[in-house]
Amino acid sequence: MLRRKEAARYLNDVRGVPIAPQTLAKYAVIGGGPRFFKFGRRVLYRVADLDDWVDARLGPAQHSTSNVMEARHD
């Protein structure tokens, strides 16, 4: 289990997703972020939930930028 600052560091360093702990805190209030658990006043994230959140936000793999444009015109 990772605390919010550690979760942001993991997402940045391991998954390549630039995100600040403050952004994770905002998502915890408004929704749309990774699943988390409360332990008293602490917010904890499981690595698997962070990975699932990133994977769900990724678009499909592309071979070239023209593939992205073709998909938008369909």
Side-chain angles (χ1 to χ4, degrees):
M1 302 289 269
L2 303 176
R3 298 201 48 191
R4 187 169 281 138
K5 190 180 280 189
E6 297 165 326
R9 189 175 308 122
Y10 170 81
L11 290 170
N12 277 281
D13 296 347
V14 176
R15 295 303 307 259
V17 176
I19 194 164
Q22 297 86 344
T23 304
L24 289 175
K26 179 179 177 181
Y27 283 144
V29 173
I30 66 171
R35 290 179 49 190
F36 63 91
F37 296 87
K38 293 283 286 186
F39 186 77
R41 293 181 59 198
R42 294 179 190 225
V43 174
L44 301 171
Y45 297 86
R46 291 189 301 195
V47 171
D49 290 329
L50 296 171
D51 288 336
D52 289 345
W53 180 71
V54 170
D55 292 341
R57 294 174 55 102
L58 286 176
Q62 303 293 326
H63 292 285
S64 72
T65 56
S66 63
N67 290 357
V68 175
M69 294 306 291
E70 289 171 8
R72 288 185 183 163
H73 292 299
D74 291 340

